[in-house]
Amino acid sequence: MLKPQNGPTRELVTLDGLFAFRVDSENVGLRDGWQSSPLDTALEMAVPASYNDVFAEKSVRNHVGWVWYEREVRVPRGWAGERIWLRFESATHGAKAFVDGTLVAEHQGGYTPFEAEITEHVTAGTTFRLTVAVDNELTQATIPPGKVVVTEAGQRAQTYMHDFYNYAGLARSIHLYSTPQVRVEDVTVVTGFEGTPGPGASGTVDYRIELDGAAAADSAVRVRVLDASGAEVATADGASGTVAIPDVVLWQPGRGYLYSLVAEAVDASGELVDSYTQPFGVRTVEVRGSEFLINGEPFYFTGFGMHEDHAVIGKGYSAAHMVNDFSLLEWIGANSFRTSHYPYSEEIMDFADRHGIVVIDETPAVGLNADFAGFFGTGAKKTYDPDFVSDETAASHRQVIEELIARDKNHPSVVIWSIANEPQSSEEGAREYFAPLAQLARNLDPTRPVGFVNVMFDNAEKDIITDLFDVIMLNRYYGWYVNTGDLASAEKALEAELRAWESKYGKPMIMTEYGADTLAGFHSLYDAPWSEEYQADFLDMYHRVFDRIGAMVGEHVWNFADFATSNGTMRVDGNKKGAFTRDRRPKTAAFTLRKRWSEIPNRKPQAK
Ligand code: BDP
């Protein structure tokens, strides 16, 4: 789905700002038709932001079910005769949107966009009442899964099997936008190059444009490719084809050079009907043996698993926080991150494209694992079971893969699709569940490697699905959850395990999580878990091991920053495995990482 934009044939207004807000604590809003009249409430809520931490009342923070947002929207008077669209960058986790009381859009899945054409419901130059009901419930049918339980005190409570707080609401932007009657509906760009990177190399751009609209068949398509300065470097006619870019400048890690593909619909007399500008980078991604290649050159990932997580706004998008996070990534020498454990906002993906940051792009499929039942206090005994990961779960999982790839397929920064984090991968049923999903991702995008992130319980001997994937992504906690405080034993265990994976598969391996909870300001001379010294020593130990294993192609520390989680005896005000605190102050380990990563930009460290 294309990100909406302003252009010669389109206009865009943001609906971000304050909305009237009402918590549906009795779950009566839909039954009583709250959309039919102005919301009866004194509360106001900011968009974009998760609502949970914005109010002082714990009843809002702990609410399970629907909340309602409402505002008046004026349709610009110049939009008469245009098609008019409402587009939500996300609504977590389910939503129904109404225009003057009429349902116009419904969506399930908290981290991908959806939109609705509302042309027939609105009039240019007048206002309408936009009402959005948003549901935060996670069930056995949702991705991520969860379960609503009734507490001993008789209150409904949300449980889930993932280690980040279930922030909800309208955490990303909402737009109203116009298009002509015939519009560019989708653009797909796949790139390659011939020759060696540098002057003289020739880029290839395979493109496919889809038009939509009653008279779409009467329109022709032409495309123009512009370089970063706006100069035209290639043109073509037709809805699909290949164009060449002479002397191409490649998109490289650390140097996010972007071209634009201007897709134009023209009518029979050659008049411009619609125009959409799609940024793209020319680069290739490939797995060869145990190497991971970007533009034909071995690439070594350094960086983090991250979260969209900040005080007050929760998972809300904030431009200032985003720029700050990318600035810290640059300071620390990280060349990449994983969107653990859900698709991040489109602004973050665009920023990564522009700045040459490499991304492992992950679906929200986290918590599909009954082995964590003890940790999260939920009762599941088997994973692939009608009561837990069922056909309904699989249908939602297919949907999140489809929506992620549809949204992010044109981002040069994205080099791997991660279709799940730490699913149960050794139990009966895992293969039947994952084989079609891996195939789906490959069918949707044959150009990028596909993987999933493996959990510590399912080592190379037990796991039964890794052969279905192109890369091996491992989360390991030797020295933390096991061998706690004993880095010497942890080092042995880690090395033995990595060697087992390497000899069994010979595929590229990325450590997608390794980390130790650390309380900023706690210091110790004695290998004390939670101390800043222990975190730094823990990471040093992992790095020594990685540098001895040929198939290791990357290291993503868990986590970039401390983050909010659900309550539990294992968490003190959230997860503290950040290299930075939640307010982005560096712990000792941040300086350790900065030293190592600055010395090995994009390159595999020499074996020591
Ligand atoms: C892994 C999960 C991650 C957790 C982390 C931890 O992938 O979401 O936050 O462990 O325990 O199991 O810190």
Side-chain angles (χ1 to χ4, degrees):
M1 179 186 289
L2 296 179
K3 190 173 177 224
Q5 61 183 212
N6 273 306
T9 58
R10 295 165 169 239
E11 274 156 27
L12 173 77
V13 275
T14 168
L15 304 185
D16 296 350
L18 290 177
F19 282 61
F21 183 73
R22 186 169 176 189
V23 178
D24 190 358
S25 38
E26 307 297 322
N27 193 22
V28 295
L30 290 169
R31 187 197 67 192
D32 293 352
W34 284 6
Q35 70 275 15
S36 306
S37 51
L39 278 185
D40 182 10
T41 183
L43 290 183
E44 294 187 60
M45 173 62 203
V47 173
S50 308
Y51 62 78
N52 309 76
D53 291 352
V54 170
F55 298 94
E57 285 81 26
K58 62 182 171 202
S59 59
V60 179
R61 186 166 209 264
N62 299 335
H63 172 68
V64 181
W66 295 91
V67 296
W68 291 68
Y69 293 75
E70 181 197 86
R71 61 162 284 178
E72 285 290 307
V73 177
R74 177 168 290 279
V75 182
R77 62 183 177 158
W79 290 11
E82 301 293 289
R83 295 172 75 184
I84 298 170
W85 304 78
L86 200 50
R87 203 239 197 208
F88 298 84
E89 199 184 323
S90 69
T92 317
H93 295 277
K96 292 180 193 288
F98 305 88
V99 167
D100 286 330
T102 302
L103 181 70
V104 295
E106 280 185 275
H107 186 258
Q108 187 62 49
Y111 307 97
T112 36
F114 58 98
E115 63 182 6
E117 181 171 6
I118 58 168
T119 315
E120 60 178 296
H121 303 289
V122 299
T123 307
T126 68
T127 63
F128 67 88
R129 195 177 68 255
L130 171 64
T131 313
V132 192
V134 185
D135 181 20
N136 68 355
E137 282 193 28
L138 296 173
T139 69
Q140 176 251 346
T142 60
I143 291 285
K147 193 172 187 178
V148 176
V149 298
V150 178
T151 64
E152 283 170 40
Q155 276 160 354
R156 273 158 51 82
Q158 177 74 62
T159 64
Y160 42 92
M161 295 164 112
H162 52 266
D163 186 35
F164 54 94
Y165 189 77
N166 185 34
Y167 282 114
L170 298 172
R172 298 178 190 161
S173 290
I174 308 173
H175 288 105
L176 182 75
Y177 73 99
S178 71
T179 70
Q181 295 298 326
V182 169
R183 63 170 187 137
V184 175
E185 185 185 23
D186 199 18
V187 176
T188 308
V189 178
V190 173
T191 62
F193 66 94
E194 281 149 28
T196 44
S202 168
T204 55
V205 182
D206 293 330
Y207 71 90
R208 200 177 65 241
I209 314 296
E210 281 161 46
L211 300 185
D212 159 67
D218 303 334
S219 295
V221 173
R222 68 176 184 223
V223 302
R224 296 186 290 130
V225 176
L226 313 179
D227 70 12
S229 73
E232 192 173 285
V233 293
T235 59
D237 289 316
S240 63
T242 303
V243 294
I245 303 179
D247 291 321
V248 69
V249 182
L250 297 181
W251 187 96
Q252 298 272 25
R255 196 156 49 85
Y257 191 92
L258 294 182
Y259 291 89
S260 302
L261 184 131
V262 184
E264 294 174 331
V266 290
D267 67 16
S269 54
E271 286 293 305
L272 181 68
V273 176
D274 190 22
S275 170
Y276 186 89
T277 300
Q278 175 64 54
F280 70 96
V282 179
R283 62 108 185 87
T284 61
V285 180
E286 191 190 334
V287 166
R288 194 172 60 201
S290 61
E291 287 184 321
F292 192 93
L293 309 178
I294 298 182
N295 297 330
E297 287 166 8
F299 177 71
Y300 191 82
F301 296 77
T302 57
F304 300 94
M306 298 183 73
H307 267 299
E308 290 181 310
D309 179 89
H310 289 95
V312 183
I313 58 175
K315 298 204 173 302
Y317 167 72
S318 142
H321 289 97
M322 174 185 74
V323 173
N324 180 231
D325 282 357
F326 274 101
S327 163
L328 295 175
L329 287 174
E330 188 182 349
W331 173 83
I332 209 166
N335 62 18
S336 55
F337 64 88
R338 175 170 59 118
T339 71
S340 40
H341 297 304
Y342 38 84
Y344 290 180
S345 78
E346 290 167 273
E347 287 77 5
I348 292 178
M349 305 308 287
D350 290 344
F351 200 100
D353 287 347
R354 290 195 299 275
H355 295 270
I357 303 294
V358 172
V359 178
I360 299 176
D361 207 1
E362 188 157 280
T363 72
V366 52
L368 278 59
N369 199 327
D371 295 343
F372 282 111
F375 189 90
F376 292 107
T378 49
K381 297 211 166 43
K382 279 180 68 188
T383 303
Y384 303 97
D385 184 84
D387 287 337
F388 187 11
V389 176
S390 63
D391 291 349
E392 272 179 295
T393 321
S396 298
H397 204 156
R398 283 196 293 279
Q399 183 193 338
V400 295
I401 292 171
E402 283 162 3
E403 292 186 359
L404 175 67
I405 296 179
R407 191 193 78 162
D408 286 351
K409 62 186 173 183
N410 293 322
H411 287 289
S413 55
V414 174
V415 300
I416 296 175
W417 302 116
S418 166
I419 68 168
N421 180 69
E422 297 193 343
Q424 220 298 345
S425 67
S426 60
E427 196 183 291
E428 196 188 341
R431 222 179 149 75
E432 290 72 12
Y433 183 85
F434 273 101
L437 296 177
Q439 193 54 48
L440 173 67
R442 281 186 213 298
N443 294 347
L444 292 168
D445 179 9
T447 73
R448 287 180 179 87
V450 178
F452 79 101
V453 172
N454 166 286
V455 68
M456 182 141 185
F457 315 124
D458 292 334
N459 60 26
E461 230 171 277
K462 291 170 71 188
D463 166 279
I464 53 169
I465 65 171
T466 290
D467 62 303
L468 300 168
F469 296 89
D470 304 305
V471 288
I472 300 178
M473 299 191 279
L474 304 172
N475 294 350
R476 290 299 179 269
Y477 288 94
Y478 296 105
W480 187 251
Y481 292 120
V482 296
N483 308 121
T484 315
D486 177 4
L487 293 178
S489 303
E491 182 161 353
K492 282 192 151 178
L494 173 67
E495 180 156 0
E497 199 198 334
L498 293 183
R499 291 206 183 281
W501 283 104
E502 182 179 42
S503 63
K504 183 161 181 185
Y505 292 102
K507 293 185 184 191
M509 295 166 26
I510 303 167
M511 187 61 63
T512 33
E513 287 184 26
Y514 60 114
D517 280 276
T518 303
L519 193 60
F522 170 42
H523 295 281
S524 172
L525 290 170
Y526 308 117
D527 280 349
W530 294 90
S531 68
E532 294 203 28
E533 288 73 18
Y534 189 74
Q535 184 185 34
D537 291 347
F538 173 108
L539 298 177
D540 279 344
M541 179 277 278
Y542 274 72
H543 298 151
R544 280 197 301 276
V545 175
F546 298 164
D547 293 354
R548 296 196 288 260
I549 309 281
M552 287 303 294
V553 301
E555 52 196 56
H556 278 175
V557 171
W558 191 253
N559 189 285
F560 170 70
D562 295 347
F563 58 91
T565 64
S566 59
N567 295 331
T569 51
M570 306 275 281
R571 298 286 176 259
V572 189
D573 188 28
N575 187 309
K576 293 279 186 282
K577 295 192 185 71
F580 297 92
T581 60
R582 198 178 191 212
D583 62 356
R584 274 49 177 177
R585 293 166 196 255
K587 300 179 190 170
T588 300
F591 297 93
T592 309
L593 292 170
R594 181 173 196 238
K595 179 161 188 316
R596 172 173 169 85
W597 291 346
S598 306
E599 286 169 4
I600 54 165
N602 307 334
R603 283 194 313 270
K604 189 162 168 48
Q606 293 303 305
K608 289 191 189 98

